[in-house]
Amino acid sequence: MYSSVVQLTASQKNNSDDGNERVDTDQHHQPTAHSVSHTSETFLQAAISLKDQVVEMTWKENGRSAGSVTDPTMYTGLLGTAFTCLRSYEATGDRKDLELCSEIVDACADLARTVTRHVTFLCGRGGVYALGAVAANYCGDQHKRDLYLNHFLEVAQERALPVGPEDGGFGMSYDLLYGRAGFLWAALFIRKYLGVESVPDDYLMPVVEAILAGGRAGASDNPACPLMYRWHGTRYWGAAHGLAGILHVLLHFPLSQEDIEDVKETLRYMMSNRFPHSGNYPVSEGNPRDKLVQWSHGATGITITMCKVSEVLSDDREFRGAAIEGGEVVWKSGLVERVGLADGASGNAYAFLSLYRLTGESIYEERAKAFASCLYQNARTIMNERHHNEADHSYSLFQGLGGVACFLFDLLAPKNSRFPGYEL
């Protein structure tokens, strides 16, 4: 896997006309859920090899110093390498990976304060401080843990976070990558590892309330949908910038009955506006193009959110049904032209892991392993060859091999699997 996926990723260009499109399955190998032949040990060794390659290319070759860091973020930058090392440590128990994670986070922290104004987990300072606190806690370094936690609590006092609705792109956005939902996810990540008291509700619930108020303001011209958000003027539906990502985060907090009903009705609105032929979801409100099946846009991210809804609102079986139907869309169309978490096959495979945790049905574990086997065996024949571009971020967490390594580590214990930066 190591060589074929590396070759594939290095040959991709940065963008097609509108992102990642589906593979023509008439010309490429289609996975079969019941024909998985690779063992857990095979996937483990592939994951370790990929992790080592990511570290070599993003950290060791760049001089292993803060001065060499140009992108300290989780999404496409060096912090994604640190997260991959943490996931490797959690899967293997190798302390060298934990030490490496901590070392890389420290280098990112030196730069994050000056190069990014965002406060989110994936694309801002919030992720640096959250991962730093968690890594230090694993290392038993209480002083460094508290230092990073205090940095995060300073971020939590950002004045724009709890400010009431700014519709149409004014003020801080609401999305997962760059906005308020992304800040809340960073706080949830800290609380998962350090306890709820580490980031008190007093910092978070005003932000939750601002997101709900902003969604109601954004949907004021559409009586059929209670919540809607704009990112750069477009009403996205997916996980990265839109409804799926924002609602997914909100479902981790205590909501009033009115809030829950608005979330449910918004999800029903999305379900009722799927493309009738494919079952896929539009990229954005009113967008007629049925092209993208990925975590960022389309069925994958929304399916993972539907799994979360089914967990939180278990009496509402319609959302469980929507999750299962979304999984069928991903199975039919999710073997796409890229390999990463954001817009590639590894990200799409996480929909099956979410469905496996939700239903306990082995078919979803088998489907995830089928996608892994296709990446392992047939990466270059599944996807069209593309020319290398420096902006490919070939070794990053969300657009390259770091995400593939995390997916393979998660295959070792699928009941404990979590989509990086999205599931907790």
Side-chain angles (χ1 to χ4, degrees), residues 24 56 77 83 111 121 181 201 235 289 295 339 350 357 365:
D24 180 357
E56 183 68 30
F83 186 94
L111 185 64
F121 186 79
D201 279 349
R235 299 182 179 194
R289 302 185 71 190
W295 173 79
V339 301
Y350 268 102
R357 296 197 316 273
E365 181 183 10

Side-chain angles (χ1 to χ4, degrees), residues 251-320:
L251 286 163
H252 291 79
F253 291 92
L255 303 178
S256 70
Q257 192 58 43
E258 179 188 3
D259 297 338
I260 290 173
E261 290 302 319
D262 281 353
V263 169
K264 288 162 64 173
E265 286 303 312
T266 300
L267 292 166
R268 288 174 181 140
Y269 175 80
M270 297 170 71
M271 291 159 57
S272 68
N273 284 280
R274 286 175 284 187
F275 293 111
H277 175 69
S278 68
N280 192 24
Y281 292 82
V283 168
S284 58
E285 181 77 0
N287 191 326
R289 302 185 71 190
D290 180 10
K291 297 188 71 69
L292 301 182
V293 176
Q294 54 184 232
W295 173 79
S296 296
H297 305 290
T300 303
I302 296 172
T303 295
I304 295 173
T305 293
M306 291 293 182
C307 288
K308 179 62 181 178
V309 178
S310 301
E311 172 193 325
V312 175
L313 306 172
S314 57
D315 292 338
D316 293 282
R317 303 286 291 184
E318 62 190 303
F319 302 119
R320 180 187 178 96

Side-chain angles (χ1 to χ4, degrees), residues 93-106:
D94 188 340
R95 294 281 300 186
K96 291 180 181 178
D97 286 327
L98 178 58
E99 293 165 3
L100 190 56
C101 170
S102 183
E103 182 183 350
I104 295 172
V105 173
D106 289 347

Side-chain angles (χ1 to χ4, degrees), residues 75-347:
Y75 195 80
T76 55
L78 186 60
L79 195 67
T81 301
F83 186 94
T84 304
C85 290
L86 182 70
R87 186 59 59 89
S88 179
Y89 166 70
E90 291 177 328
T92 68
D94 188 340
R95 294 281 300 186
K96 291 180 181 178
D97 286 327
L98 178 58
E99 293 165 3
L100 190 56
C101 170
S102 183
E103 182 183 350
I104 295 172
V105 173
D106 289 347
C108 292
D110 290 340
L111 185 64
R113 191 183 294 268
T114 59
V115 302
T116 177
R117 62 184 175 84
H118 302 298
V119 298
T120 63
F121 186 79
L122 293 177
C123 296
R125 303 192 309 277
V128 177
Y129 303 145
L131 188 59
V134 169
N137 190 62
Y138 266 132
C139 291
D141 188 337
Q142 182 176 343
H143 174 74
K144 185 181 285 189
R145 179 200 67 192
D146 291 345
L147 179 66
Y148 276 119
L149 183 57
N150 287 334
H151 283 324
F152 184 83
L153 293 177
E154 290 174 8
V155 169
Q157 297 176 58
E158 169 71 44
R159 292 176 62 185
L161 278 167
V163 172
E166 294 90 10
D167 195 25
F170 298 103
M172 184 178 289
S173 67
Y174 299 96
D175 65 306
L176 185 71
L177 258 60
Y178 298 108
R180 305 175 208 221
F183 161 77
L184 289 178
W185 202 95
L188 289 167
F189 182 78
I190 292 174
R191 290 168 70 154
K192 173 182 177 179
Y193 288 93
L194 304 186
V196 174
E197 68 282 354
S198 59
V199 187
D201 279 349
D202 290 349
Y203 288 100
L204 306 181
M205 292 310 297
V207 185
V208 171
E209 293 164 6
I211 292 174
L212 288 162
R216 290 177 180 126
S220 60
D221 59 348
N222 184 354
C225 184
L227 302 170
M228 189 64 71
Y229 303 88
R230 291 187 178 93
W231 189 75
H232 288 276
T234 299
R235 299 182 179 194
Y236 287 103
W237 282 27
H241 299 298
L243 282 169
I246 296 166
L247 298 182
H248 191 273
V249 171
L250 290 177
L251 286 163
H252 291 79
F253 291 92
L255 303 178
S256 70
Q257 192 58 43
E258 179 188 3
D259 297 338
I260 290 173
E261 290 302 319
D262 281 353
V263 169
K264 288 162 64 173
E265 286 303 312
T266 300
L267 292 166
R268 288 174 181 140
Y269 175 80
M270 297 170 71
M271 291 159 57
S272 68
N273 284 280
R274 286 175 284 187
F275 293 111
H277 175 69
S278 68
N280 192 24
Y281 292 82
V283 168
S284 58
E285 181 77 0
N287 191 326
R289 302 185 71 190
D290 180 10
K291 297 188 71 69
L292 301 182
V293 176
Q294 54 184 232
W295 173 79
S296 296
H297 305 290
T300 303
I302 296 172
T303 295
I304 295 173
T305 293
M306 291 293 182
C307 288
K308 179 62 181 178
V309 178
S310 301
E311 172 193 325
V312 175
L313 306 172
S314 57
D315 292 338
D316 293 282
R317 303 286 291 184
E318 62 190 303
F319 302 119
R320 180 187 178 96
I324 291 171
E325 290 163 5
E328 294 304 309
V329 176
V330 178
W331 177 242
K332 293 174 183 175
S333 303
L335 207 54
V336 292
E337 294 177 351
R338 297 179 186 271
V339 301
L341 294 178
D343 55 8
S346 63

